[in-house]
C-alpha cells in the first residue's frame, strides 16, 4: 500500500462578512477584508506560523506544518465536487500533517483551520 501524503488544503479565514452571521456572541460582527487577509497570508509563515497545533490547545504545536499560505486570487470561486471551497480574497492554508492529526482529519474530528491571534476593532463607515 502506498504511503499517504497527509496533505490538506483549507480556508483559514473567509474574506468579508459571512451573510449567515448577523451578530457575534459579543454583540458585534467582526470580519477581515480581502486586503487585510492578503497581508496576513503573506506574512504568516515569516512571522512564525509554519508550525500549528490542534484546537488551540497548549502543547499541540507541531502536529501540522504549513507549506503554503495565500489568498484565492480568482473572481471565479474554487470549487470541488460542486461545492464552493473558497471565494476571491479568502485565505487558504496548505499543510503537511503528522499521523495524529491525519487520523483526526480522516475520522472527521478535525475539519478546518482556525488561526489564533489578536486584532484591534475599528468602526467601519
Amino acid at each position: 500500500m502506498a504511503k499517504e501524503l497527509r496533505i490538506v488544503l483549507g480556508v483559514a479565514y473567509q474574506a468579508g462578512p459571512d451573510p449567515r452571521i448577523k451578530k457575534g456572541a459579543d454583540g458585534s460582527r467582526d470580519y477581515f477584508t480581502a486586503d487585510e487577509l492578503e497581508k496576513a497570508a503573506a506574512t504568516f509563515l515569516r512571522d512564525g506560523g509554519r508550525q500549528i497545533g490542534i484546537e488551540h490547545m497548549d502543547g499541540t504545536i507541531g502536529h501540522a506544518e504549513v507549506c503554503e499560505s495565500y489568498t484565492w486570487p480568482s473572481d471565479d470561486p474554487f470549487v470541488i465536487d460542486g461545492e464552493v471551497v473558497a471565494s476571491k480574497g479568502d485565505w487558504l492554508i496548505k499543510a503537511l500533517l503528522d499521523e495524529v492529526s491525519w487520523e483526526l482529519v480522516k475520522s472527521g474530528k478535525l475539519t478546518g483551520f482556525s488561526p489564533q491571534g489578536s486584532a484591534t476593532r475599528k468602526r467601519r463607515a
Side-chain angles (χ1 to χ4, degrees):
M1 178 199 271
K3 184 177 178 182
E4 294 178 301
L5 294 177
R6 302 187 317 237
I7 298 172
V8 293
L9 173 68
V11 173
Y13 207 97
Q14 171 187 309
D18 185 330
R20 300 170 296 177
I21 301 171
K22 300 300 178 204
K23 188 184 287 188
D26 65 355
S28 188
R29 179 61 191 108
D30 298 325
Y31 61 89
F32 290 96
T33 66
D35 287 341
E36 291 164 331
L37 289 177
E38 179 72 25
K39 291 175 199 171
T43 59
F44 184 70
L45 295 175
R46 181 198 70 199
D47 293 346
R50 184 166 300 281
Q51 296 291 322
I52 57 178
I54 298 173
E55 303 272 333
H56 300 282
M57 293 186 306
D58 290 339
T60 64
I61 296 297
H63 282 284
E65 182 174 352
V66 177
C67 54
E68 293 182 27
S69 173
Y70 60 96
T71 56
W72 186 246
S74 177
D75 288 328
D76 295 325
F78 177 24
V79 178
I80 296 177
D81 295 331
E83 184 179 337
V84 174
V85 175
S87 298
K88 186 174 180 89
D90 289 351
W91 177 12
L92 298 169
I93 288 178
K94 186 176 190 178
L96 306 168
L97 307 182
D98 70 356
E99 289 183 35
V100 171
S101 56
W102 181 244
E103 290 303 319
L104 290 169
V105 167
K106 290 190 337 182
S107 71
K109 292 179 181 170
L110 286 181
T111 58
F113 293 108
S114 178
Q116 187 170 332
S118 62
T120 301
R121 184 178 284 152
K122 61 183 179 181
R123 257 189 215 284
R124 298 195 188 273

